[in-house]
């Protein structure tokens, strides 16, 4: 496992509390899964002591996305049979995720991020390999026993009362996503994220927490406030004065960073209002940024990159 933000950190904590023997790679916050370190450990593990490799695809605390396909290549290059477990809570349904192509064995998500629903559903994708491993696994489990689940699912039931209203909601979300097409959903998230990044680049003294373009997330941006500015002031001003809820800086980013979420049912105009609120709050908190600079940069990006649905519809009809 690797730890580079509040969510990847919590996974390590859970695995350790469950009594698993965890080999943790600690990484600077702002970077993601250290694939080269994983590859070296897998190559060195000739007796296959490593049972699973874990990755948080999108670290929501720092706005960092990791390369899951590269982890699959590291496993394959080392000819290692370990399973690949992925936290896709803030990535699946928003940015590229290919369970089969990347050979992911367990992928977990939730209803409350890219699936655009209230919190309440945990969604777990399971490969055939993981299902087979489940048959002889010795760790105790009950709540999410695949065997119990499959047995009752086959008859149209769950082993406990399911959140039926959320399952109905999920059906609607999936229809929205699949009707748009996942390529189009991923492209929209990229456009939205690039607009936010254009705004951040225009704000003097602000900087993304992500340490380079290869790590930048298309679903959430964590942004360092300019030196000397308390990000908590920015967040509370946005909330109490402009009725806009920015994400807080989690754990060691508290006071240093704020976050703008940009996933799910969102369009450029909605995102411009969040960028505008962040900009006004930054100035209220004392940041010397030029009024309108971030909004203007985002607007220009959106103006140039947003597909024109009128033309789109017309050309389809033709
Ligand atoms: C939101 C999120 C979770 C789940 O968080 P809960 O608050 O425990 O539901 C897990 N991992 C990531 C990367 C997330 O963004």
């Amino acid at each position: 496992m690797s730890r580079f933000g509040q969510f990847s950190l919590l996974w390590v904590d859970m695995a350790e509390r469950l009594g698993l023997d965890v080999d943790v790679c600690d990484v600077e916050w702002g970077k993601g899964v250290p694939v080269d370190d994983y590859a070296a450990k897998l190559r060195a593990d000739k007796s296959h002591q490593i049972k699973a490799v874990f990755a948080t695809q999108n670290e929501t605390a720092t706005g960092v996305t990791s390369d899951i396909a590269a982890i699959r290549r590291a496993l394959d290059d080392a000819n290692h049979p370990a399973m690949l477990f992925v936290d896709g809570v803030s990535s699946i349904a928003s940015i590229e995720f290919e369970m089969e192509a990347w050979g992911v064995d367990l992928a977990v998500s939730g209803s409350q991020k890219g699936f655009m629903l209230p919190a309440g559903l945990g969604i777990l994708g399971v490969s055939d390999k993981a299902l087979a491993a489940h048959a002889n696994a010795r760790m105790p489990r009950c709540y999410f026993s695949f065997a119990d689940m499959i047995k009752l699912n086959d008859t149209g039931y769950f082993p406990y009362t399911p959140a039926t209203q959320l399952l109905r909601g999920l059906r609607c979300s999936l229809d929205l996503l699949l009707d748009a097409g996942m390529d189009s959903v991923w492209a929209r998230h990229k456009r939205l994220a690039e607009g936010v990044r254009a705004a951040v680049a225009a704000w003097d003294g602000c900087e993304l927490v992500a340490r380079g373009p290869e790590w930048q997330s298309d679903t959430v941006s964590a942004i360092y406030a300019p030196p000397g500015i308390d990000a908590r002031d920015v967040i509370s001003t946005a909330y109490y004065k402009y009725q806009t809820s920015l994400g807080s800086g989690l754990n060691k980013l508290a006071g240093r960073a704020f976050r703008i979420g940009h996933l799910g049912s969102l369009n450029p105009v909605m995102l411009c209002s969040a960028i505008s609120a962040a900009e006004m709050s930054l100035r209220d908190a004392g940041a010397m940024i030029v009024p309108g600079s971030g909004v203007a940069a985002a607007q220009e990006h959106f103006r140039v990159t947003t597909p024109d649905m009128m033309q789109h519809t017309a050309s389809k009809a033709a």
Side-chain angles (χ1 to χ4, degrees):
M1 304 182 92
S2 44
R3 185 161 52 188
F4 40 76
Q6 181 64 11
F7 291 92
S8 48
L9 174 156
L10 287 172
W11 279 106
V12 172
D13 178 52
M14 178 167 72
E16 288 176 340
R17 286 205 240 171
L18 289 172
L20 297 173
D21 179 6
V22 185
D23 184 350
V24 191
C25 302
D26 269 303
V27 176
E28 176 194 350
W29 287 32
K31 295 184 175 174
V33 174
V35 178
D36 291 344
D37 294 349
Y38 276 25
K41 283 175 190 287
L42 289 165
R43 277 196 306 271
D45 180 34
K46 300 287 180 222
S47 58
H48 298 163
Q49 294 299 302
I50 299 172
K51 299 302 173 203
V53 167
F54 181 93
T56 297
Q57 185 186 9
N58 190 76
E59 174 50 79
T60 316
T62 57
V64 162
T65 300
S66 290
D67 188 347
I68 305 300
I71 304 173
R72 166 46 58 197
R73 284 195 296 276
L75 282 158
D76 291 349
D77 290 349
N79 222 340
H80 200 294
M83 280 188 282
L84 177 54
F85 295 174
V86 177
D87 169 356
V89 178
S90 62
S91 50
I92 293 175
S94 309
I95 61 178
E96 186 180 10
F97 178 79
E98 302 282 4
M99 178 130 187
E100 283 181 30
W102 297 348
V104 175
D105 293 295
L106 288 180
V108 64
S109 198
S111 48
Q112 76 270 34
K113 306 269 171 78
F115 291 103
M116 306 173 283
L117 294 164
L121 291 181
I123 302 166
L124 188 59
V126 184
S127 72
D128 289 335
K129 183 171 156 187
L131 266 188
H134 163 269
N136 320 311
R138 292 190 309 273
M139 251 183 98
R141 71 226 99 111
C142 172
Y143 177 73
F144 223 133
S145 158
F146 300 159
D148 292 359
M149 192 68 87
I150 289 168
K151 193 166 132 211
L152 282 153
N153 278 180
D154 279 349
T155 64
Y157 289 91
F158 271 74
Y160 39 76
T161 310
T164 313
Q165 61 281 59
L166 284 173
L167 291 173
R168 295 282 179 193
L170 185 62
R171 180 69 265 162
C172 294
S173 299
L174 293 174
D175 289 343
L176 283 171
L177 291 163
L178 297 174
D179 285 352
M182 293 316 296
D183 287 338
S184 144
V185 170
W186 298 335
R188 173 170 54 87
H189 282 84
K190 178 158 281 308
R191 284 197 301 277
L192 293 172
E194 282 171 344
V196 173
R197 292 194 281 265
V200 175
W203 288 333
D204 251 342
C206 285
E207 213 185 325
L208 289 170
V209 174
R211 293 293 81 196
E214 71 273 32
W215 299 117
Q216 289 166 357
S217 164
D218 286 344
T219 60
V220 57
S221 294
I223 301 154
Y224 284 120
I229 305 297
D230 191 329
R232 281 169 290 222
D233 292 342
V234 179
I235 293 161
S236 68
T237 303
Y239 190 75
Y240 290 106
K241 191 169 171 190
Y242 303 117
Q243 284 87 53
T244 299
S245 184
L246 298 173
S248 61
L250 297 173
N251 197 319
K252 62 170 98 165
L253 296 177
R256 297 173 61 207
F258 65 94
R259 292 174 300 145
I260 297 178
H262 34 85
L263 90 177
S265 177
L266 192 68
N267 66 39
V269 176
M270 294 152 81
L271 197 46
C272 277
S273 69
I275 294 167
S276 171
E279 186 165 298
M280 288 190 285
S281 307
L282 276 162
R283 284 182 54 78
D284 287 344
M288 304 296 283
I289 60 176
V290 178
S293 55
V295 176
Q299 282 178 337
E300 283 304 284
H301 175 77
F302 293 143
R303 204 177 56 70
V304 171
T305 60
T306 306
D308 182 336
M309 293 317 280
M310 173 99 96
Q311 283 177 12
H312 185 68
T313 311
S315 71
K316 256 195 180 169

